Structure formats: C-alpha cells, structure tokens
C-alpha cells in the first residue's frame, strides 16, 4: 500500500494590514507571510475501503469533519471521484508540533499537506496553481502553505506574489497553551471598532494593495536586512487582540525589553507572539530570559527560524 510522509511548516505574519471589508464577509488584506521551521508531519496512505480517517497525537485536535485536513481529503474525493474509487480511502496521521489555535496556520498547513499528498497518491499531476485554487476553498491561508517561503498575500490572503526567501533569521515564539483567540472574533471586532476607516472605492483599494509591494518592509526583505525587517513588522489585529488579552500584551511588552530582540509582533489573529533574533545562540538566550520572567508552565516557548519552502516530502 502506498504511503507518503510530508513536512508541513507553520507560518508567521511579518505584516498584516486590513484594507476593507468584502461582499463575501471576509476582509481585503495586504500581508507578508513567512514559513518557519516549526512543522507537523503528515502521513497519508490508501485504505482498502472508501472512507476518510484522521488520527492525531494531540488531544485538542479533532479527528472528525471539523478538522481542515479531513475537509481537504473530502474535497479531493469530491473533485476526483474516479480516483477515490480507484485508489480507495485515505488514512491521515498528523504528528502535531505546531501549537493549535495559535495564529500559526497549523490547521491550514495540515490541509495543504493533504492536498499535496493526495495529488501524489492518486497520480493526479495537479499544478501548484490548481492545488492553490483548491486550497483557497478550504481557508485563506491554505494556498500560501503549499509552496510557502516569503510571500506577499493580498485579496482574502489567497493572491500570492513570492519574494526572495529569507533563511537566516531566528525566531522565538511564545504561546500560552490554554489561550485561544478566534480569528472570526478578531476580524469582527476590528470591523466594529475600525470599520469606519475602511477604503470604499475599488480604485483606491487596488492602489493600497499594490503599495505593499513597494513598502519599506519589502525593501528590507529584498535586502535581507533582519534589523530593518524587524523595525517594520506590523499587524492591525494587535489593535483588538492586545487590549482584550492582557497575557498577549504582557508577552509583547516583555519581548520588546529583552536584549537581543530585533523586533516583536503578534502572529495573525494571535495569541502567539514572536520575536526576530539574529542568531540561534541569541534566540536561546532570549527564550531563557522570557522563561525566567514568566515561569508559568502554561507558557510554551519555541526557538525556530525562517525557511524558504512550504510542504515537502520527507
Ligand atoms: O479563511 P479562514 O477560514 O482561515 O478565515 C477564518 C475567519 O477569519 C473567517 O471566517 C473570517 O471571519 C476571518 N477572515 C476575514 N478576512 C480574511 C481572512 C479571514 O475576515 N481575509
């Protein structure tokens, strides 16, 4: 029986700007997404019966239809019914390392790995664009997770323009295990509080989304200048998450004072806060200092780094 194991990296947002609301209820965004080495491993193999099964070593991760990886398999079975009959069902085993509900695209990258894995398992020969289009129907971050790297993402987050890869920046991640922030809540609250400043006319909207391409953070990325990238980090969702989640605010303020931190920001809708650091050794020191300042066992800390790829076969 054929089987594939894929590495599914997490992401952080180096930049997240909310431009306006869309008629489909989503928001028009300008983001810079960055893959990181922290990853889950996904094994996919064929079953002799036409069923979809998901297993995960993490107790908080559902294994039913609410799991985005399950939905990815279901989507492929629906799109390619002949292959589903020919090759049989799918068993998906998720080895979780990425914190769940963290703003790190953990669920999205698992779904991306399932799309790539089934494409291989069923010999479909889909292009990256075809996989991204399928991914966009599952979630806004899924298309990015397929090829990963350093990417400008506009529209809902599914329109991707790759940038040269950054592979030399170290990252310390901090997340309280028991703390979760709903992405839908964060966007809804942002709309309620700041919706009056949204752009309304489509011409300005296109210009604003295009402006990110020539923005200062993109210039810093092109120059691979970690210090400048760190200075230009931005996330509009901090405006609603930080005032409502004092623990996230505390982490954000603490990171800003720790020696060796080039810059700090919340990732996506949170609650993970990250710090950019120049070397692995400094990252370990930063991690240790945060641990000493907050000895709470509920706080998880990781040292990782930027990488230049998304889903890969192991
Ligand atoms: O696409 P995804 O399911 O990951 O999005 C989760 C939630 O985040 C959506 O239901 C929506 O409330 C919000 N969202 C948004 N605009 C985007 C992406 C996400 O409002 N561009």
């Amino acid at each position: 029986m054929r089987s594939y194991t894929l590495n599914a990296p997490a992401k952080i947002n180096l930049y997240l700007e909310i431009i306006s609301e869309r008629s489909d209820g989503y928001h028009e965004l300008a983001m810079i997404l960055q893959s990181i080495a922290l990853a889950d491993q996904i094994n996919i193999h064929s079953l002799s019966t036409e069923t979809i099964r998901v297993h995960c070593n993490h107790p908080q991760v559902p294994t039913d239809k609410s799991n985005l990886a399950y939905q990815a398999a279901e989507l492929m079975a629906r799109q390619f019914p002949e292959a589903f009959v020919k090759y049989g069902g799918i068993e998906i085993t998720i080895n979780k390392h990425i914190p769940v509900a963290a703003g790190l695209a953990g669920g999205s990258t698992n779904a991306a790995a399932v799309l790539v894995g089934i494409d291989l398992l069923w010999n479909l020969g889909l292009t990256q664009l075809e996989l991204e289009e399928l991914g966009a129907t599952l979630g806004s971050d899924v298309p990015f997770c397929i090829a990963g790297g350093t990417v400008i993402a506009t529209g809902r987050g599914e329109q991707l323009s790759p940038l040269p890869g950054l592979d030399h920046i170290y990252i310390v991640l901090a997340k309280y295990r028991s703390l979760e922030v709903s992405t839908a809540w964060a966007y809804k609250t942002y709309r309620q509080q700041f919706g009056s400043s949204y752009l309304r006319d489509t011409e300005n909207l296109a210009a604003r989304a295009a402006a990110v391409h020539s923005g200062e953070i993109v210039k810093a990325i092109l120059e691979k200048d970690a210090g400048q990238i760190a200075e230009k980090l931005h996330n509009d969702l901090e405006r609603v998450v930080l005032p409502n989640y004092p623990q996230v605010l505390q982490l954000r303020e603490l990171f800003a004072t720790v020696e060796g931190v080039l810059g700090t920001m919340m990732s996506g809708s949170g609650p993970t806060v990250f710090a950019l650091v120049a070397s692995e050794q400094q990252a370990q020191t930063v991690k240790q200092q945060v641990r000493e300042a907050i000895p709470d066992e509920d706080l998880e800390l990781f040292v990782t780094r930027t990488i230049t790829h998304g889903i890969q076969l192991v």
Side-chain angles (χ1 to χ4, degrees):
M1 201 156 297
R2 285 206 302 171
S3 156
Y4 289 100
T5 301
L6 302 113
N7 199 51
K11 63 88 184 152
I12 55 170
N13 297 73
L14 298 176
Y15 188 88
L16 192 163
E17 182 185 349
I18 301 173
I19 297 174
S20 67
E21 63 193 318
R22 296 158 51 107
S23 52
D24 59 8
Y26 282 77
H27 285 82
E28 201 68 34
L29 306 175
M31 299 190 284
I32 299 174
L33 302 170
Q34 173 64 57
S35 300
I36 58 175
L38 180 67
D40 295 336
Q41 281 75 47
I42 313 287
N43 180 269
I44 297 181
H45 76 98
S46 297
L47 287 173
S48 47
T49 52
E50 278 171 51
T51 50
I52 296 166
R53 263 187 241 147
V54 175
H55 310 277
C56 184
N57 62 337
H58 193 299
Q60 247 177 292
V61 175
T63 53
D64 61 10
K65 286 184 188 211
S66 64
N67 188 316
L68 212 53
Y70 190 110
Q71 291 170 29
E74 224 177 21
L75 172 69
M76 292 300 265
R78 226 176 19 250
Q79 291 285 319
F80 305 100
E82 286 165 19
F84 189 44
V85 172
K86 181 174 169 193
Y87 292 98
I90 303 149
E91 183 153 50
I92 300 163
T93 308
I94 304 169
N95 193 358
K96 256 268 154 243
H97 300 287
I98 305 170
V100 297
L104 298 172
S108 300
T109 192
N110 292 174
V114 169
L115 297 180
V116 172
I118 293 178
D119 176 51
L120 292 170
L121 204 62
W122 293 353
N123 291 312
L124 296 171
L126 296 175
T127 63
Q128 185 183 312
L129 190 65
E130 286 168 330
L131 288 167
E132 286 172 1
E133 280 169 2
L134 286 169
T137 68
L138 296 166
S140 308
D141 288 337
V142 180
F144 162 75
C145 290
I146 292 168
T150 309
V151 173
I152 297 175
T154 53
R156 240 179 76 203
E158 86 292 5
Q159 289 170 30
L160 308 175
S161 307
L163 291 167
L166 290 173
D167 60 357
H168 63 298
I169 302 176
Y170 282 84
I171 295 158
V172 183
L173 298 174
K175 154 130 200 327
Y176 283 96
R177 273 190 195 88
S178 58
L179 198 61
E180 288 184 17
V181 177
S182 150
T183 305
W185 169 86
Y187 280 102
K188 194 178 89 196
T189 309
Y190 191 92
R191 184 188 351 235
Q192 282 163 357
Q193 290 186 14
F194 305 108
S196 58
S197 65
Y198 284 170
L199 281 187
R200 306 273 162 208
D201 71 281
T202 43
E203 217 166 284
N204 276 345
L205 203 146
R208 180 94 156 261
V212 70
H213 289 258
S214 52
E216 292 190 48
I217 187 160
V218 170
K219 188 164 165 269
I221 290 168
L222 295 175
E223 289 170 359
K224 297 195 187 294
D225 184 337
Q228 275 302 309
I229 295 168
E231 268 190 35
K232 305 296 176 200
L233 297 170
H234 178 81
N235 184 349
D236 275 338
L237 289 174
E238 283 199 341
R239 294 171 78 186
V240 290
V241 178
L242 298 190
N244 284 288
Y245 291 87
Q247 285 173 298
V248 182
L249 178 63
Q250 183 202 18
L251 282 176
R252 184 71 171 69
E253 287 177 344
L254 175 62
F255 266 135
T257 63
V258 173
E259 206 185 313
V261 170
L262 300 170
T264 172
M265 191 61 45
M266 184 181 80
S267 184
S269 57
T272 302
V273 177
F274 68 88
L276 301 188
V277 185
S279 72
E280 182 168 15
Q281 199 189 352
Q282 269 181 319
Q284 293 295 354
T285 311
V286 167
K287 178 181 162 184
Q288 204 178 329
Q289 280 178 266
V290 173
R291 175 55 74 209
E292 280 165 20
I294 309 178
D296 187 345
E297 276 181 19
D298 196 42
L299 180 67
E300 278 187 292
L301 295 164
F302 303 84
V303 168
T304 185
R305 63 180 172 81
T306 57
I307 57 169
T308 57
H309 59 81
I311 307 301
Q312 277 187 335
L313 270 179
V314 173

